[in-house]
Amino acid sequence: MLVDTFGRKIEYIRVSVTKQCNFRCQYCMPDTPEDFKDDTLIPLDRTLEFLKVAIDEGVKKIRITGGEPLLRDDLCEFISSLRAYSPTLELALTTNGFFLKKYAQKLKESGLNRLNVSLDTLNAMRLRLISKRDALPEVLEGLQEAKRVGLPIKINMVPLRGINEDEIVPMLDFCLENGFFLRYIEFMENSHANQKLQGMNEKELLDVIGSKYQFSEVQKQTIGPAKEFAIPDKGRFGIIAPHNDDFCKSCNRVRLTSEGTICPCLYYQEAVNAREAILEGDVEKMREALKLSVHNKPEKNQWDLEQNQHSARAFYYTGG
Ligand code: SAM
Ligand code: SF4
């Protein structure tokens, strides 16, 4: 079992399988050149061996992310192998949804449990403004296909002042109607994002939602920093609010980057380089690296907006 020095059980790993992406979201990688190539990728069969070690050490949930994970054409085989190794593993994927129509059925058959699709707006022009791509039709079709094949879906929305703030309620309406679980994610300042962006915080979001819906906070069954709210007879929604002081208390995760670094926290620069161990397939070295990273996990993120201490790590590198 992996337990950090503050008594938190680490049962969740987020795995970034590529830094590359077909979008250029304003909050993530607005200035990355179009022809950016990721030449540090670890082959997925190597990543699989690392994750087997993590599962043996008690990891119960794995989320595949990126960059855009569906750019890796062997992703479904990777998912099938993880599922074969652990039938009880909770296996999820975060995607921008652009390639979902093509892959949804195969993802389901491979043993994926559920999907998070990032969608910040239902307005095609706005999606172009946010992601620099004309992608709304593809994402909406992908969502319907994923729903059709029976994958449970969460939608991740980053509310941005002056950009999509008037869609807080319409996005919730859309998700409630379609049986998707909407999760608002507070914009997390970082040095790779467009520095002019301004996010909305939990209180501001709840005030806007309260103008249409009555809701109450629910005690969740699962551990983790997201909060959940219930709207009677309609459904639920969630908020991820890392600006709140108590956010780190229930943190249960570490992150593996696509080049083989284990990051114990998004906003903490120290990390463990496990690249060599993973490429060599050295089980003992991989186990040591994982344990060291859990041991190094800080009590709280080192993120101080007043001191202008933003993360220098890109979200497309850590996987968000
Ligand atoms: N490309 C996939 C996608 O967009 O879903 C997976 C990778 S993306 C880095 C993972 C999540 O991080 C997305 O839901 C995205 O909205 C979120 N994200 C990226 N940059 C962010 C930021 N600065 N603040 C808050 N969330 C961010
Ligand atoms: Fe790509 Fe996801 Fe980053 Fe947007 S948030 S640029 S889709 S990795």
Side-chain angles (χ1 to χ4, degrees):
M1 190 194 294
L2 299 164
V3 182
D4 75 5
T5 45
F6 305 95
R8 293 170 296 196
K9 256 198 235 172
I10 306 304
E11 296 184 325
Y12 175 17
I13 294 198
R14 296 176 65 101
V15 186
S16 170
V17 293
T18 179
K19 281 187 277 190
Q20 268 172 238
C21 187
N22 55 325
F23 284 16
R24 289 289 179 272
C25 298
Q26 297 284 344
Y27 43 69
C28 182
M29 53 193 302
D31 301 322
T32 305
E34 289 295 326
D35 59 355
F36 167 67
K37 289 269 176 298
D38 184 357
D39 53 10
T40 56
L41 282 184
I42 291 195
L44 287 180
D45 59 348
R46 299 286 91 203
T47 306
L48 175 69
E49 295 309 312
F50 171 80
L51 292 174
K52 285 181 181 173
V53 171
I55 292 167
D56 292 347
E57 288 298 321
V59 163
K60 295 189 168 51
K61 174 176 172 184
I62 292 176
R63 174 173 300 282
I64 300 163
T65 172
E68 176 44 45
L70 290 176
L71 286 175
R72 290 207 73 167
D73 50 15
D74 49 352
L75 197 76
C76 289
E77 289 72 24
F78 173 65
I79 291 172
S80 297
S81 307
L82 273 170
R83 174 56 69 224
Y85 190 71
S86 173
T88 56
L89 180 71
E90 201 182 327
L91 200 40
L93 173 77
T94 301
T95 169
N96 62 29
F98 191 85
F99 301 107
L100 250 188
K101 191 175 176 192
K102 175 176 172 195
Y103 285 115
Q105 178 86 49
K106 218 171 154 204
L107 286 168
K108 172 81 177 159
E109 287 163 7
S110 307
L112 190 77
N113 292 115
R114 49 200 180 74
L115 270 179
N116 282 28
V117 179
S118 303
L119 181 63
D120 300 311
T121 175
L122 294 168
N123 175 310
M125 290 285 284
R126 275 191 194 164
L127 189 61
R128 182 168 172 52
L129 175 78
I130 296 168
S131 72
K132 301 197 186 179
R133 293 294 179 272
D134 277 318
L136 192 64
E138 285 83 355
V139 178
L140 293 180
E141 281 176 25
L143 276 170
Q144 290 311 324
E145 178 63 4
K147 183 175 163 180
R148 190 190 68 76
V149 304
L151 282 165
I153 297 167
K154 284 187 181 163
I155 303 284
N156 288 351
M157 173 187 188
V158 180
L160 297 166
R161 202 161 283 297
I163 296 181
N164 60 358
E165 67 176 290
D166 59 347
E167 288 190 85
I168 306 298
V169 170
M171 281 288 291
L172 183 54
D173 292 339
F174 168 77
C175 289
L176 292 171
E177 278 159 23
N178 280 283
F180 306 148
F181 182 101
L182 178 60
R183 258 189 354 183
Y184 303 95
I185 306 181
E186 286 182 357
F187 167 58
M188 294 179 236
E189 293 76 6
N190 71 90
S191 50
H192 298 263
N194 176 340
Q195 298 303 306
K196 293 194 187 116
L197 295 181
Q198 264 195 321
M200 293 175 71
N201 66 31
E202 179 185 341
K203 179 173 179 318
E204 292 167 331
L205 293 167
L206 291 177
D207 283 349
V208 177
I209 295 163
S211 66
K212 173 153 184 187
Y213 292 113
Q214 286 201 323
F215 57 82
S216 55
E217 189 170 346
V218 277
Q219 293 307 316
K220 290 179 307 165
Q221 305 299 314
T222 50
I223 300 169
K227 284 188 190 167
E228 242 178 74
F229 301 85
I231 303 174
D233 304 324
K234 294 273 184 195
R236 290 185 175 195
F237 67 94
I239 299 188
I240 298 188
H243 295 88
N244 289 358
D245 274 349
D246 58 355
F247 186 74
C248 304
K249 267 189 210 152
S250 55
C251 187
N252 57 348
R253 65 204 63 185
V254 295
R255 293 170 165 81
L256 178 70
T257 72
S258 58
E259 57 192 52
T261 301
I262 313 172
C263 302
C265 170
L266 261 186
Y267 283 84
Y268 182 68
Q269 280 312 116
E270 264 176 52
V272 176
N273 184 348
R275 182 177 173 83
E276 228 178 82
I278 295 174
L279 286 176
E280 284 168 5
D282 186 325
V283 170
E284 274 325 302
K285 275 198 201 156
M286 290 192 279
R287 198 187 316 276
E288 265 171 39
L290 179 60
K291 286 189 168 171
L292 181 60
S293 133
V294 169
H295 178 80
N296 288 352
K297 194 170 163 64
E299 183 174 18
K300 240 182 133 335
N301 61 41
Q302 292 182 349
W303 183 20
D304 189 343
L305 290 180
E306 277 159 27
Q307 299 290 323
N308 215 18
Q309 258 186 33
H310 292 181
S311 176
R313 273 203 210 106
F315 274 55
Y316 62 89
Y317 171 71
T318 53

